[in-house]
Amino acid sequence: MQHTQIAAQDTHSKLIGYLLWFFGFLGAHRFYFGKPVTGTIWFFTFGLFLIGWLVDLLLIPAMDRQADLRFQAGPISYTLAWLLLTFLGVFGVHRFYQGKWLTGLLYLCTGGLFLLGVLYDFWTLNDQISMRHTERGVFSH
């Protein structure tokens, strides 16, 4: 019997996940790994009153594996896009990086669409990048 193993793509970084975990009581690492619902819960409850935040210290490797399996790898770096969104999102820099020039300019002129666009991107950035990779026909093996 021959076993085939699917190689996981390395779309997300454990190191960045742990760095974001440091601020994880606000849900940053959960958003990064594609868990916007629990990221939002962590944001409003300070990491489920810090208990969930402490438990996440042990769960980050599993969250990283899940993100690597869920999201399509390609030329756009998830990590760089997340850093750009987190620190320069109101200027649309993460959108320029993805090649979305029109919405990048719109974000630049409106403060990230009055921060609502930035919030939307926190919920959807991983899927946006994965979709761009799939549309371009970029498949990593």
Side-chain angles (χ1 to χ4, degrees):
M1 181 195 270
Q2 188 179 27
H3 293 277
T4 58
Q5 185 175 9
I6 299 173
Q9 313 166 90
D10 191 18
T11 60
H12 290 70
S13 163
K14 271 194 234 49
L15 175 62
I16 295 297
Y18 279 113
L19 290 173
L20 291 172
W21 172 84
F22 187 74
F23 301 102
F25 59 90
L26 296 175
H29 63 293
R30 289 192 159 266
F31 284 107
Y32 174 66
F33 288 123
K35 298 181 173 297
V37 173
T38 55
T40 302
I41 292 169
W42 261 232
F43 181 83
F44 286 111
T45 64
F46 297 103
L48 285 177
F49 311 105
L50 298 179
I51 296 168
W53 177 68
L54 289 172
V55 170
D56 278 354
L57 181 62
L58 303 173
L59 296 180
I60 284 178
M63 284 190 253
D64 179 59
R65 279 190 305 275
Q66 290 170 354
D68 288 345
L69 291 170
R70 179 176 169 198
F71 300 110
Q72 180 66 41
I76 300 171
S77 166
Y78 289 86
T79 299
L80 180 54
W82 272 100
L83 291 172
L84 294 173
L85 169 60
T86 302
F87 296 107
L88 300 169
V90 295
F91 303 112
V93 177
H94 63 291
R95 290 198 160 258
F96 290 121
Y97 173 65
Q98 292 179 75
K100 297 179 176 183
W101 296 98
L102 186 60
T103 56
L105 286 170
L106 189 61
Y107 274 45
L108 181 62
C109 296
T110 61
L113 283 177
F114 312 105
L115 295 178
L116 293 176
V118 173
L119 179 61
Y120 170 80
D121 287 343
F122 266 97
W123 270 70
T124 64
L125 185 63
N126 284 315
D127 289 323
Q128 290 177 43
I129 295 170
S130 191
M131 195 177 316
R132 300 261 321 170
H133 290 164
T134 301
E135 288 170 356
R136 292 179 179 172
V138 179
F139 298 101
S140 268
H141 293 289

